[in-house]
Amino acid sequence: MLIPERLRDQMTACGLTQAALARRVGVSQQTVGRLVTGDAYTSRYLHKIARELRTTPAYLTGETDNPEADAPDISITAEEREILDLMRALPPTERAAALVLIRSLATSARSPSVHG
């Protein structure tokens, strides 16, 4: 039963509690808790959990012993994480409007300023 041990190890390495991981993944703390205690052997959210823990579902389930193998690069700052969390909390129409604003700001930041 590798999932509980590897899940706890990765949570510790990432400095996440069950509640924090659950919040980031968008599941209940009980869902994460069942995996950590071994009361559940898998979850349809395992890929999201693995991504947040900077590893792969294959590592968590014991298919591989390398936690880094094919792990996605999700090195983001706390500020980027906050923006993502805030975007996820928005209703779809407001999320679309925020995305338009962010794209506009990013385009403006990349364009050279013309001062007259």
Side-chain angles (χ1 to χ4, degrees):
M1 187 167 27
L2 293 173
I3 290 178
E5 180 182 327
R6 289 186 173 187
L7 192 56
R8 283 190 299 268
D9 290 347
Q10 290 299 118
M11 287 172 54
T12 299
C14 292
L16 292 173
T17 62
Q18 288 182 25
L21 178 59
R23 233 181 351 267
R24 287 184 175 192
V25 174
V27 299
S28 70
Q29 186 274 325
Q30 290 79 12
T31 296
V32 174
R34 285 191 295 271
L35 289 167
V36 168
T37 61
D39 292 336
Y41 298 105
T42 190
S43 167
R44 64 184 171 148
Y45 301 102
L46 195 60
H47 65 287
K48 291 181 179 182
I49 291 169
R51 188 179 319 127
E52 287 298 327
L53 296 176
R54 300 184 203 120
T55 192
T56 64
Y59 173 74
L60 293 176
T61 59
E63 293 175 41
T64 180
D65 289 329
N66 184 351
E68 302 297 324
D70 301 318
D73 180 15
I74 58 163
S75 54
I76 62 174
T77 66
E79 188 176 59
E80 291 166 332
R81 167 59 58 197
E82 181 182 8
I83 291 168
L84 181 59
D85 289 342
L86 291 170
M87 286 289 286
R88 286 178 176 164
L90 292 173
T93 55
E94 291 180 12
R95 186 180 305 167
L99 188 56
V100 168
L101 175 61
I102 291 169
R103 285 181 180 145
S104 175
L105 291 170
T107 301
S108 296
R110 282 185 252 143
S111 300
S113 296
V114 177
H115 296 285

